[in-house]
């Protein structure tokens, strides 16, 4: 079955540690996205990538980093510079320019204490 | 910039009631419009979409019509079920303001609870 996988579903870290969230897709999509979801705020775009080895900052990129070395993978690192990292993180992918529809993974809930 | 405003929640209805969740938007160009649904603890699933004015998107009994004159994309369902309980997000993709890419701009979401 084609789809997007995110792992783990729940992640706990101590303050000051970097943590990397995994996102893998086997849909052969060109574009991938990371969103952050907080209660009552909808989804906010962190980073996106339209092709391998290229990515752009979204609306709230500070304190995050990404890489896109393979078409299938778009890991997100939450660094210690992110002031409020506890949130639900969603990865998505799409075919690329023209199709508009995004497919979402199940999400990772990160708790930093 | 682009924005999406949707009806504040939470919304609580009895089973078989009529549902409307309002959504209005502001966009630079001619966006595509979407409704996504999120069940507890899960990611988002596309519910329906419309890509041009007067298009009607429909799926699983839900409908929404792209109204350019009122910049709206209200979600409706004639008879809701308990299984429709979820959070609903209105979103747009504006290739003009996004320079051709497919970034989505989301509303804040509306939590819907259906009581048996």
């Amino acid at each position: 079955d084609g789809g997007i996988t995110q792992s783990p579903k729940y992640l706990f870290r101590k303050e000051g540690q970097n943590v990397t969230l995994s996102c893998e897709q086997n849909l052969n999509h060109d574009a991938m996205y990371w969103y952050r979801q907080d209660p009552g705020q909808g989804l906010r775009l962190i980073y996106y990538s339209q092709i391998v080895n290229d990515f752009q900052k979204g609306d709230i990129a500070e304190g995050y980093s990404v890489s896109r070395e393979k078409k299938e993978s778009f890991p997100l690192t939450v660094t210690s510079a992110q002031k409020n990292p506890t949130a639900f993180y969603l990865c998505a992918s799409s075919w690329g320019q023209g199709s508009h529809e995004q497919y979402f993974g199940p999400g990772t809930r990160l708790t930093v204490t | 910039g682009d924005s999406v405003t949707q009806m504040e929640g939470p919304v609580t209805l009895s089973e078989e009631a009529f549902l409307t969740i309002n959504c209005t938007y502001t966009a630079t160009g001619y966006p595509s419009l979407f409704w996504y649904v999120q069940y507890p603890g899960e990611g988002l699933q596309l519910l329906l979409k419309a890509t041009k004015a007067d298009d009607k998107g429909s799926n699983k009994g839900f409908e929404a019509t792209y109204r350019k004159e009122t910049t709206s994309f209200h979600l409706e369902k004639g008879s809701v079920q308990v299984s429709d309980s979820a959070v609903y997000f209105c979103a747009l993709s504006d290739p003009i303001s996004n320079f051709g890419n497919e970034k989505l701009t989301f509303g804040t979401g509306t939590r819907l609870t259906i009581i048996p």
Side-chain angles (χ1 to χ4, degrees), chain A residues 9 31 33 35 37 40-43 45 48 50 59 88 90 94-107, chain B residues 32 34 36 38 41-46 49 51 87 89 93-95 98-109:
Chain A
K9 190 166 181 63
Y33 311 79
Y35 294 90
Q37 185 177 19
Q41 293 195 45
L43 279 71
L45 182 66
Y48 63 100
Q50 292 183 269
D59 300 319
F88 189 50
L90 287 160
S94 68
W95 287 110
Q97 293 191 24
S99 72
H100 305 293
E101 178 179 338
Q102 292 185 16
Y103 296 77
F104 284 79
Chain B
S32 294
F34 306 85
Y36 282 85
Q38 184 179 35
E42 298 183 8
L44 276 67
Q45 302 174 25
L46 179 67
K49 68 178 181 181
T51 58
V87 180
F89 292 92
S93 176
D94 184 354
N98 292 341
F99 304 102
N101 69 57
E102 296 160 346
K103 290 190 298 177
L104 288 172
T105 299
F106 285 89
T108 54

Side-chain angles (χ1 to χ4, degrees), chain A residues 49-96:
Chain A
S49 166
Q50 292 183 269
I51 56 173
V52 174
N53 293 321
D54 185 53
F55 48 83
Q56 289 80 41
K57 293 181 179 180
D59 300 319
I60 56 164
E62 185 176 350
Y64 300 97
S65 66
V66 293
S67 63
R68 186 86 187 278
E69 297 177 0
K70 298 187 299 182
K71 188 175 185 178
E72 302 79 20
S73 179
F74 191 42
L76 173 75
T77 296
V78 184
T79 75
S80 56
Q82 168 50 233
K83 298 300 181 191
N84 186 18
T86 295
F88 189 50
Y89 290 89
L90 287 160
C91 179
S93 68
S94 68
W95 287 110

Side-chain angles (χ1 to χ4, degrees), chain B residues 23-66:
Chain B
C23 172
T24 57
Y25 68 89
T26 303
T28 304
Y30 301 95
S32 294
L33 301 173
F34 306 85
W35 277 100
Y36 282 85
V37 59
Q38 184 179 35
Y39 298 102
E42 298 183 8
L44 276 67
Q45 302 174 25
L46 179 67
L47 181 59
L48 53 84
K49 68 178 181 181
T51 58
K52 62 183 188 297
D54 300 325
D55 270 1
K56 178 186 284 188
S58 61
N59 186 25
K60 300 181 181 179
F62 291 90
E63 293 183 338
T65 300
Y66 189 142

